[in-house]
Each structure stands twice: as structure tokens, then as C-alpha cells.
């Protein structure tokens, strides 16, 4: 039993650290901001600590429990806000912002079209055409660097202009969601719950960790914004505005890319398991796969009464 309770306590501590550490840091920053706004910060903090120290043991325990509940509640509230905030950062905005969204989407689509044109020119020189007269002109170091940059930008933007989102984060995740459809005819959003249950446990853990990093980047920017009310005590709270662009402009896109890569890998390596689990015949070759994927997606979405669809008997 002592071993059991020790293990249980360890799990509780780990869970609290995962959910409550960020909120503890936030409230510590708010306390320091309050102290910084006092005429004598050190004396103000010392006075509060002395007041707590003068309490009876029972009152201190109650105060500690209230603080722990407050930290847990703050962490829970932030987890509830993370997904709506991510949706806004992706570009799923209210209808009254539709004109702004359309202009931003049009700008992203134009930039992708321009990048695609430059990429094709460089790619034609990188890959020799056997029918061309004479050898291709080799790319310079600067042109190779430009080719690499274009490859990266094109990878993280949707191929179809109709799928373009108004933000960089939205385009990264939309490109990852659309890629299985372009390559295999599979709807990643519709089929993801089915594929998730078929993935190996180790791969599920990797995906969960990547998603936690993505959520942590969103939450970090939100925590920084929530520090701004401390401007009432000290103007130094405005420095939190420097952290939000760092979290959402640098950390979040990279976390989205890590998650998107694993999402694409899941379909690249384990899409066959979808066919086997749903007893659909595997496509015979790469040319047949997009059409087979579209049939599988349609079957999962609305079913089928087509007698020509013969299920694989399996093992």
C-alpha cells in the first residue's frame, strides 16, 4: 500500500506540474507586478508574507488549498480557451470579418502562385530534360537557396487556392489536412478518428506530444496577453506584448509544422490499415490509389449500396 500511494502521489504531482505550472508562473508574475506598483515593493511583499506567517496552522492550510484550487482552475480555464484561440489563429473568424479574411486569402494565393512559377523555373534547370537541346544551366548557390525556400513555402500552403486560409498557421494545418486527399484521395479530417485507432501506441504518443507542444504555444501567447491588466500597477507589464508575437509568430508555426509532419506520416505509412480495417480492396498501383481513396472516403461518409463494391474477406 505505501508503494501504491507513493505511485499515485507521483502521478498527481506530474499531472499538476503539467497543468498548473504555467498558471503558477502567471500568478507569480501578477504578484510581482502588484509589488512593483507599490511605493516600497520589498516591504509590501514582506508585509504580505508576515501576515500569512502570523496565521494559525489551520488558516494556512485553508489558504494553501484555496491557492491550489485557484491554480488548478486557472489551468483548466486555459485548456478550455486553447482550442478556440487556435481556431482564431488559424483564420476561422466571425462573419463580420469575412472581407478581411478574403483579402488575406487572396494575398496568400497570389504569393503561392508567384512562388510556384519561380519554383517551376528553377526545377526545370535542376532536373535535366532529355528532350532539351544542350545541357541545363546549373543553379548557383543563391538560386539553390532560393529553390529550398520556395520548396518550404509551397509545402506549407494548400495547393488548391480555394483552401487558402488568411493566416500562416491556418495554411500550415490546412496544407497538412489536404495533402492526403491530393496524394491518396483520402479526406484527412473525416478519416482521422478511424486512422487514429489503428496507429501504433508509440506513434500515438509522438502525435500526442506534438499536439501538446502546439497547444502549449497557443497557451503561452494567451498567458502573456492576460498579463496586460497588470499595467494598472506597473507599465512594465507591457513587456508581455513582446512575448505574444514570439509565441505565436515563431513557436506556434514550428509546432504546427511538427504536428503536420506527423499527421502526413500517419497517412503515408498507415493508410493501408484503413483499407484492411474497413475491408476495402487495396489499390493495385499508385495510379489507382486516388480513385480508391475517394471511394473509401465516400463509403465512410455516407455508406454505399453499390453491388460492385466487394469487401475483402480478410484473414
Amino acid at each position: 500500500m505505501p508503494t501504491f500511494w507513493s505511485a499515485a502521489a507521483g502521478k498527481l504531482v506530474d499531472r499538476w506540474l503539467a497543468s498548473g505550472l504555467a498558471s503558477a508562473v502567471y500568478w507569480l508574475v501578477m504578484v510581482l507586478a502588484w509589488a512593483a506598483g507599490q511605493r516600497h515593493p520589498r516591504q509590501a511583499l514582506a508585509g504580505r508574507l508576515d501576515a500569512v506567517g502570523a496565521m494559525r496552522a489551520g488558516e494556512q492550510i485553508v489558504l494553501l488549498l484555496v491557492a491550489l484550487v485557484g491554480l488548478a482552475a486557472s489551468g483548466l480555464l486555459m485548456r478550455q480557451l486553447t482550442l478556440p484561440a487556435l481556431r482564431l489563429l488559424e483564420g476561422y473568424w466571425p462573419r463580420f470579418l469575412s472581407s478581411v479574411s478574403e483579402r488575406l486569402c487572396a494575398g496568400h494565393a497570389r504569393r503561392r502562385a508567384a512562388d510556384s512559377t519561380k519554383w517551376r523555373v528553377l526545377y526545370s534547370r535542376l532536373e535535366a530534360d532529355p528532350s532539351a537541346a544542350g545541357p541545363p544551366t546549373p543553379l548557383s548557390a543563391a538560386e539553390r537557396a532560393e529553390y529550398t525556400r520556395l520548396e518550404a513555402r509551397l509545402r506549407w500552403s494548400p495547393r488548391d487556392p480555394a483552401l487558402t486560409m488568411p493566416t500562416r498557421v491556418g495554411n500550415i494545418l490546412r496544407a497538412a489536412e489536404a495533402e492526403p486527399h491530393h496524394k491518396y484521395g483520402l479526406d484527412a479530417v473525416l478519416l482521422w478518428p478511424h486512422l487514429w485507432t489503428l496507429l501504433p501506441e508509440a506513434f500515438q504518443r509522438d502525435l500526442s506530444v506534438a499536439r501538446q507542444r502546439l497547444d502549449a504555444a497557443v497557451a503561452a501567447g494567451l498567458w502573456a496577453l492576460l498579463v496586460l491588466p497588470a499595467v494598472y500597477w506597473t507599465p512594465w507589464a507591457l513587456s508581455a506584448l513582446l512575448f505574444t508575437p514570439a509565441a505565436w509568430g515563431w513557436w506556434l508555426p514550428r509546432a504546427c509544422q511538427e504536428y503536420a509532419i506527423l499527421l502526413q506520416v500517419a497517412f503515408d505509412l498507415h493508410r493501408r490499415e484503413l483499407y484492411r480495417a474497413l475491408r476495402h480492396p487495396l489499390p493495385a498501383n499508385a495510379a489507382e490509389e486516388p480513385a480508391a481513396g475517394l471511394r473509401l472516403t465516400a463509403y465512410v461518409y455516407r455508406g454505399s449500396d453499390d453491388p460492385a463494391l466487394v469487401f475483402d474477406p480478410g484473414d
Side-chain angles (χ1 to χ4, degrees):
M1 290 301 292
T3 304
F4 167 78
W5 286 115
S6 296
K11 291 291 185 181
L12 289 175
V13 170
D14 291 342
R15 187 168 299 177
W16 185 88
L17 287 174
S19 61
L21 183 58
S23 57
V25 172
Y26 167 76
W27 286 112
L28 177 61
V29 170
M30 295 296 285
V31 169
L32 294 176
W34 168 83
Q38 306 303 309
R39 180 172 297 179
H40 303 290
R42 184 175 300 178
Q43 289 83 348
L45 280 176
R48 296 294 181 179
L49 292 175
D50 290 340
V52 173
M55 292 179 178
R56 290 177 293 182
E59 294 174 335
Q60 291 178 347
I61 292 175
V62 171
L63 181 61
L64 177 61
L65 291 176
V66 170
L68 291 176
V69 170
L71 291 176
S74 300
L76 178 61
L77 177 61
M78 181 55 65
R79 286 198 296 273
Q80 298 301 315
L81 293 175
T82 297
L83 181 57
L86 177 60
R87 297 284 290 177
L88 288 174
L89 292 169
E90 287 184 72
Y92 295 99
W93 297 339
R95 183 173 298 178
F96 68 88
L97 294 175
S98 59
S99 60
V100 178
S101 177
E102 289 172 1
R103 286 196 296 270
L104 292 174
C105 289
H108 285 299
R110 285 194 299 270
R111 283 191 292 273
R112 193 190 196 283
D115 289 343
S116 182
T117 300
K118 296 177 184 177
W119 178 87
R120 283 194 295 268
V121 172
L122 294 175
Y123 182 78
S124 65
R125 292 172 54 192
L126 186 66
E127 295 291 329
D129 185 0
S131 62
T137 306
L139 297 180
S140 64
E143 288 174 329
R144 285 185 176 275
E146 177 67 11
Y147 176 82
T148 302
R149 286 192 294 269
L150 292 171
E151 278 272 341
R153 288 207 295 263
L154 291 173
R155 180 180 185 183
W156 300 121
S157 60
R159 301 187 191 184
D160 186 353
L163 299 178
T164 303
M165 298 295 290
T167 68
R168 181 186 177 191
V169 168
N171 282 320
I172 291 172
L173 295 178
R174 179 62 68 84
E177 294 168 356
E179 197 63 17
H181 173 75
H182 291 306
K183 293 195 293 188
Y184 311 122
L186 300 172
D187 188 325
V189 176
L190 176 66
L191 297 174
W192 180 246
H194 304 73
L195 182 61
W196 171 262
T197 62
L198 303 173
L199 295 175
E201 290 185 8
F203 196 82
Q204 288 181 343
R205 286 195 297 270
D206 292 340
L207 271 165
S208 297
V209 170
R211 182 57 196 236
Q212 289 169 7
R213 291 174 181 166
L214 193 158
D215 292 341
V218 177
L222 287 176
W223 284 121
L225 290 178
L226 290 175
V227 173
L228 292 181
V231 173
Y232 177 78
W233 296 311
T234 173
W236 286 104
L238 289 173
S239 60
L241 290 176
L242 301 176
F243 189 76
T244 299
W248 288 350
W250 181 83
W251 183 9
L252 180 57
R254 282 157 179 77
C256 287
Q257 289 176 3
E258 293 176 4
Y259 179 73
I261 289 172
L262 290 178
L263 178 66
Q264 293 176 351
V265 169
F267 280 92
D268 291 340
L269 299 184
H270 301 286
R271 66 188 184 280
R272 288 176 174 267
E273 303 302 323
L274 277 175
Y275 285 93
R276 294 192 179 99
L278 294 169
R279 298 173 56 203
H280 272 241
L282 291 169
N285 52 56
E288 295 181 3
E289 187 161 15
L294 289 174
R295 287 194 299 269
L296 180 65
T297 298
Y299 174 76
V300 172
Y301 182 67
R302 62 177 64 90
S304 175
D305 57 359
D306 185 2
L309 178 59
V310 179
F311 291 122
D312 190 339
D315 297 334

